[in-house]
Amino acid sequence: MSDKEQKHTIVALVADKPGVLTRIASMFRRRGYNIASLAVGQSEQPGFSRMTFVVEGDEDTVNQVTKQLDKLIDVIRVSDITGRETVARELALIKVLATPATRGEIIQIVNLFRASIVDVGTQSMVVEITGEEDKINALYNLLEPCGVIEMLRTGVVAMVRGQANGQVTDDVGMAVIQ
Amino acid sequence: MELSGAEIVCESLLKEGVEVIFGLPGGAVLPLYGALSKYPKLRHILVRHEQAAVMAADGYARATGRVGVCSATSGPGATNLVTGIASAQMDSIPIVAITGQVPRAAIGKDSFQETDVTGITLPITKHNYLVMDVSEVAPVIKEAFYVARTGRPGPVLVDIPKDILLDERTEFIWPENVSLAGYNPPREAPAEQVAQAVKLINEAERPIILAGHGTLISHAYDEVRELAEKAQIPVVTTLLGISSFPTDHYLNLGMPGMHGMAYASLAIDKADLLIALGMRFDDRVTGRLRDFAPNAKVIHIDIDPSELNKNVKATVPLLGDLKMVLGQLVPQVEANVHMDWLHYIDALRVDHPSTVIRETDELLPQFVLRELTKATQGEAIIVTGVGQHQMWAAQYCAFLEPNTLITSGGLGSMGFEVPAALGAKVGRPDKTVWSIAGDGGFQMTMCDLATAVENNINVKFAIMNNGVLGMVHQWQDLFYEKDYFSTVYTRNPDFVKLAEAYGIAGIRVKEKGEVAEAIQQAMEIPGPVVIDFVVKADENVFPMIPAGESVHEMLEEPTPERTA
C-alpha cells in the first residue's frame, strides 16, 4: 500500500434527513479516518444536501473513505475531486485585539487581503475573509501578533470547474493492475 | 379502512411473506403484540431472552436464505439484540429487527425503558430507521426488507414509538417499489474487466479458488463448481463459505488460515493466482498480510466495492453479483488440467494431513464430531458456537449441501449455537439440525432450551464439555505461559439433569464406545435432546497459525512442550 499522505477533497451528495451527519461522522470515527474539515449545506436539489470533506491519508485510505461513505444508504453520490481543476473557498471570522496603536496596521492588512471588517469594538475588531485555505492561513499569521481572540472557520467548500463533476465512487480503486 | 401503526406493521410483514417472528414483548412494543395476536399467519415464537430472538432470526436467515425477523421492546429489550445484530452485520445476514420505542413525546426525556437504539445500532446495522409518522410505517418496512436482502445483505432495525403503533391510524398503502437514489447494488461486472480475469485464469499455472460466504448468498455454488471442474482449480473455502463446495469433492482443500488445513494454507502460499469469490480476506484467513500469497495475482469478485482492495490488492477487481459475474466469466475460461499443480497439492495433503485423530482411549472432541458426521452423512445442518469446537466442526464435519454450516464467523459470538439452531430448524423443519456447543457458550444462552421445548423445535444439542473456555485456554497454553487464569469452570451444572429440568432427554457420554449409540439414540427421539459429551479438557486445535503470523510459523502438531 502506498504511504504518501495527501489531503483529499471529497464531495458528497446526501439525503437531507435527520441523523445523516451522525451516520457519516460515526463511520469516520469507527474506521479511524480523520476529517480535516467538513462543510455542509443545501444543494441545488430539494431534499438533498452537499458536503465537502477534506480528508488526510494515503490513496488507499482515501479510497476506502469514499467507498465507505458511498455505502451509507443516505449518501447518494461521492466524488473525490482531488487533483481536478476546482474552485475551493472557505470563510473565516477572526476577532482580533485592536488598540488605537494597532488598529491602523490591522486595517492595512485586511485591505491587502481584500477581507473586510464586519464589527468594530473599543478593544477588538471582527475580520471576515473568504478564500482558499492558504489565504486564510496567511491572514491569520499576520494578525496573530496583534492578538487573535477568537477564530471561526466554516471548512472548505469545493466544486469542479466546468461541466465535469469529479471521479465518482464507482471508479475508485477499480483499476486493473497491468 | 384506517389501521393502527401496529396493524400496518403486521400487514406489511404479510406482504413481505414473513412466516415467523422471534421476539419477546414489553411495554413499548405491546401494541404490536396486540395486533400480532389477530394475525395467526404470522407465527410468533416467544423466546426467553432477546439475544435468542435475534440469533434465531439469524439462524433462520442462514438456513433459508430469507430475511429473518425479530422483535423486542424498547430499552433493555432492544439493547439485548445488540450482540446478535452485530454478528449479523459482520456475517452479512439479512435480518429485520423491529423494536418498540417510548411514545414520541417521551423521546429524549430519559423516560422509563428509553434508549437511543438507532444511535446504538448505527455502526452495526446496514441501515436503521426511527419511524416518526404512521404514514412512514409501510414504506419503511418495505425499504427495510429490500435493504436487508439485496446487495451485500445485512441487518436493518426499525424503531417505532408506542403511540404510532397504538394511537395513530392511517390507510394501509403498500408501496409498489422501493426507490433509493443512493443505493444500487451492482449486478454484472464490466465485460473488459471480466476478460482480463479470464486471461489471468487461462494463463495461471497454480490457481486457487477462495470461495467465501458470497458464494452461498449469491447461490453461486453451481458456477463455482463448474469453474473448478472445467479448469481443474482447487478450492479452499473460508469458514463461512464451507458448505458452498462439497467437502468430499476431490478439488476441495477445506478451510485455510489460522485453524485451516495446513495443505490449504501451504497451497495458497505457492499459488500464482487467487480467485477470491465473495470473501473479504479476513485476518483469520490471511495472517500477516505482507506474507500472504506472496506469489499470487488476485482476482477479487465481490458485491461490496469497499471490500475490493481493502486488505489485499486485487490485480483484477470485479464488482458485481457473484453468480452473474461467474456467469459472464466461466464460459470464457478454457478447460485445463493443471496436472503438476494438483500433484503438488496431493503431495501436500500426504505430508500435512491436518485432520488425523490420534489413537487414544480418551474421548476427543474431534472423534465425537467425526462420529456425528458419519451418523448424519454430512446432510444435517450443523450450528456451532464459537471457539475450539467451532474450529473442529469446520475441520472434521462434512458438508455436502449449501447452507449446512451455520456459525458466527466474523463477530465470533459465543452462545450463538443454541438460538441460531432453533431458528435454523424453524426455517428448515425437513432437516436434521445439530447444535454443536461448547460448555461455555451453551451456558450463555441455554435458557432458550425452554423455547425449544415449548415449541417442540427438534434440535439436537451436543455439548463438547471440556469444563474450560477452550480456545482462550489454548491461547494461555501456547502464548501466556500456561497461566490458566479464569478459563476453568470448576462447577458446571449437570447438563443431563438440566435437560431433564426442561423436560427433555439428556444423555451423558464419557467413553468413545458410547458416542455412536448416543447420537443414534438422540436422532430417534422425536424432540430436542441434550448430549453432554465429557471430552478431554486440554486438547488444542491444530493446525494453528498464531495471530498476526504467516503460514511459515504454522504449528501443525502438538509438540511435547506445547502440550499441557
Side-chain angles (χ1 to χ4, degrees):
Chain A
M1 305 264 155
S2 74
D3 44 19
K4 274 175 82 182
E5 298 261 329
Q6 199 200 329
K7 272 191 179 171
H8 284 250
T9 307
I10 294 168
V11 177
L13 184 70
V14 307
D16 184 12
K17 285 184 186 168
V20 171
L21 192 58
T22 316
R23 285 179 200 280
I24 290 169
S26 163
M27 187 282 291
F28 273 87
R29 178 196 54 78
R30 180 171 99 71
R31 299 208 178 253
Y33 307 138
N34 284 320
I35 308 178
S37 104
L38 165 65
V40 55
Q42 276 181 1
S43 76
E44 76 288 354
Q45 304 173 42
F48 296 95
S49 305
R50 191 164 265 116
M51 292 186 175
T52 310
F53 304 85
V54 178
V55 182
E56 276 176 52
D58 61 33
E59 203 187 325
D60 291 321
T61 307
V62 176
N63 283 353
Q64 269 295 311
V65 170
T66 59
K67 287 170 168 185
Q68 294 294 347
L69 257 178
D70 194 37
K71 221 164 123 170
L72 299 172
I73 307 281
D74 289 336
V75 174
I76 314 303
R77 201 175 62 191
V78 186
S79 317
D80 185 348
I81 62 171
T82 316
R84 306 292 298 253
E85 285 285 317
T86 58
V87 184
R89 291 290 181 274
E90 187 176 8
L91 185 145
L93 296 175
I94 304 169
K95 189 181 283 177
V96 60
L97 267 179
T99 58
T102 58
R103 201 167 281 152
E105 188 193 343
I106 293 170
I107 292 168
Q108 263 191 351
I109 295 170
V110 166
N111 286 339
L112 217 56
F113 276 80
R114 293 189 193 145
S116 49
I117 292 160
V118 290
D119 181 57
V120 182
T122 52
Q123 295 295 318
S124 69
M125 293 200 283
V126 177
V127 179
E128 176 196 314
I129 177 167
T130 307
E132 298 200 5
E133 219 183 334
D134 292 347
K135 181 179 169 186
I136 296 172
N137 291 343
L139 175 64
Y140 177 84
N141 289 339
L142 286 172
L143 292 177
E144 224 226 324
C146 306
V148 172
I149 302 167
E150 201 179 339
M151 176 168 70
L152 198 148
R153 298 172 73 150
T154 56
V156 180
V157 292
M159 192 176 268
V160 176
R161 290 179 188 271
Q163 294 262 309
N165 54 15
Q167 185 191 27
V168 291
T169 351
D170 304 356
D171 325 321
V172 170
M174 293 303 300
V176 173
I177 300 170
Q178 298 295 348
Chain B
M1 194 180 77
E2 294 204 327
L3 300 181
S4 72
E7 287 163 339
I8 292 173
V9 172
C10 295
E11 291 288 343
S12 304
L13 294 179
L14 282 178
K15 287 281 187 194
E16 281 296 333
V18 172
E19 52 184 26
V20 62
I21 302 156
F22 302 91
L24 199 152
V29 82
L30 203 47
L32 176 60
Y33 279 73
L36 272 175
S37 72
K38 296 176 190 73
Y39 285 82
K41 276 193 188 162
L42 295 169
R43 180 183 179 196
H44 182 265
I45 293 181
L46 173 64
V47 295
R48 291 298 194 273
H49 187 295
E50 290 88 349
Q51 184 178 335
V54 59
M55 287 181 171
D58 181 318
Y60 174 90
R62 292 189 207 227
T64 63
R66 309 177 60 188
V67 178
V69 183
C70 62
S71 75
T73 195
S74 64
T79 55
N80 277 345
L81 297 178
V82 167
T83 305
I85 291 173
S87 179
Q89 170 79 349
M90 285 289 265
D91 289 352
S92 313
I93 307 302
I95 283 178
V96 170
I98 299 171
T99 49
Q101 181 55 277
V102 299
R104 279 172 296 179
I107 291 178
K109 308 278 165 54
D110 304 314
S111 311
F112 176 66
Q113 291 197 327
E114 183 194 358
T115 53
D116 172 17
V117 68
T118 42
I120 289 170
T121 58
L122 199 120
I124 54 164
T125 47
K126 184 169 171 186
H127 197 52
N128 64 22
Y129 301 86
L130 171 61
V131 178
M132 289 300 271
D133 192 287
V134 70
S135 67
E136 290 173 14
V137 173
V140 160
I141 289 180
K142 174 131 185 147
E143 203 172 292
F145 276 82
Y146 175 72
V147 169
R149 73 166 173 265
T150 53
R152 179 180 180 171
V156 177
L157 181 134
V158 181
D159 197 27
I160 314 178
K162 183 179 183 178
D163 57 321
I164 290 181
L165 292 171
L166 186 64
D167 305 326
E168 299 288 315
R169 303 182 77 82
T170 188
E171 204 73 41
F172 172 64
I173 301 164
W174 187 241
E176 280 189 18
N177 41 43
V178 176
S179 159
L180 283 165
Y183 180 73
N184 298 298
R187 295 164 64 81
E188 295 197 324
E192 50 297 1
Q193 304 234 156
V194 173
Q196 302 263 15
V198 168
K199 187 161 171 283
L200 286 188
I201 295 173
N202 289 340
E203 287 169 359
E205 289 176 5
R206 299 184 307 279
I208 284 194
I209 293 169
L210 275 71
H213 194 195
T215 314
L216 291 166
I217 296 170
S218 166
H219 303 100
Y221 12 86
D222 291 338
E223 287 78 1
V224 171
R225 189 171 173 151
E226 200 188 331
L227 173 62
E229 289 176 351
K230 188 175 186 184
Q232 293 294 301
I233 304 173
V235 178
V236 303
T237 48
T238 67
L239 177 62
L240 291 184
I242 279 182
S243 66
S244 68
F245 195 70
T247 309
D248 61 356
H249 195 287
Y250 68 101
L251 287 169
N252 193 338
L253 300 185
M255 179 172 72
M258 182 177 275
H259 291 296
M261 300 299 102
Y263 45 84
S265 300
L266 289 164
I268 289 173
D269 190 53
K270 273 285 179 294
D272 66 354
L273 178 67
L274 302 185
I275 308 166
L277 309 177
M279 54 86 70
R280 57 186 176 86
F281 292 106
D282 178 74
D283 54 277
R284 258 47 181 168
V285 167
T286 64
R288 194 191 298 123
L289 276 168
R290 72 178 137 84
D291 293 325
F292 177 71
N295 307 305
K297 292 182 173 174
V298 177
I299 297 168
H300 191 179
I301 310 180
D302 206 282
I303 200 162
D304 179 352
S306 71
E307 290 302 343
L308 301 172
N309 292 318
K310 185 181 82 176
N311 293 338
V312 168
K313 263 270 188 260
T315 322
V316 179
L318 292 173
L319 178 66
D321 177 276
L322 184 59
K323 191 181 176 76
M324 289 184 178
V325 178
L326 287 178
Q328 297 171 271
L329 182 142
V330 177
Q332 301 181 53
V333 170
E334 291 162 9
N336 206 328
V337 286
H338 292 121
M339 196 67 86
D340 292 346
W341 177 225
L342 293 182
H343 279 155
Y344 176 83
I345 286 172
D346 282 342
L348 285 179
R349 285 187 198 255
V350 172
D351 294 341
H352 306 271
S354 302
T355 51
V356 174
I357 301 175
R358 68 176 184 283
E359 287 298 324
T360 170
D361 289 336
E362 291 174 297
L363 183 57
L364 297 180
Q366 300 96 308
F367 176 83
V368 174
L369 291 164
R370 185 153 284 172
E371 288 297 309
L372 187 75
T373 274
K374 277 187 205 161
T376 58
Q377 299 183 316
E379 286 172 356
I381 294 179
I382 304 287
V383 185
T384 81
V386 171
Q388 287 186 314
H389 69 278
Q390 176 189 33
M391 292 297 105
W392 281 315
Q395 294 176 336
Y396 289 86
C397 291
F399 302 92
L400 304 183
E401 293 174 25
N403 300 314
T404 47
L405 174 62
I406 294 180
T407 191
S408 170
L411 192 71
S413 180
M414 285 170 66
F416 182 78
E417 57 265 56
V418 176
L422 301 185
K425 182 67 185 177
V426 168
R428 290 296 307 273
D430 56 314
K431 299 290 283 183
T432 303
V433 176
W434 278 89
S435 166
I436 312 294
D439 54 304
F442 188 75
Q443 289 181 81
M444 289 187 176
T445 47
M446 66 187 182
C447 56
D448 273 280
L449 278 182
T451 308
V453 178
E454 217 159 53
N455 298 279
N456 195 25
I457 304 169
N458 185 3
V459 171
K460 314 302 180 189
F461 298 93
I463 307 173
M464 302 294 124
N465 179 5
N466 56 7
V468 294
L469 295 166
M471 190 57 90
V472 191
H473 195 267
Q474 171 164 345
W475 281 49
Q476 289 174 329
D477 184 16
L478 299 176
F479 314 118
Y480 291 84
E481 289 149 358
K482 302 186 193 301
D483 176 12
Y484 302 122
F485 181 71
S486 286
T487 51
V488 181
Y489 284 140
T490 54
R491 284 292 300 274
N492 264 342
D494 180 330
F495 291 114
V496 171
K497 280 188 182 159
L498 188 92
E500 286 162 1
Y502 279 106
I504 56 176
I507 305 169
R508 178 164 295 115
V509 174
K510 288 182 161 174
E511 306 291 334
K512 284 172 80 172
E514 303 163 356
V515 174
E517 197 194 326
I519 291 170
Q520 208 51 51
Q521 197 188 333
M523 297 220 282
E524 280 160 16
I525 294 170
V529 179
V530 174
I531 309 183
D532 177 22
F533 290 103
V534 182
V535 297
K536 185 169 178 289
D538 51 5
E539 186 69 8
N540 284 345
V541 183
F542 292 103
M544 178 174 197
I545 300 173
E549 298 195 25
S550 82
V551 65
H552 305 292
E553 284 88 17
M554 178 162 53
L555 313 171
E556 284 192 62
E557 299 284 335
T559 51
E561 73 275 13
R562 288 196 185 274
T563 312

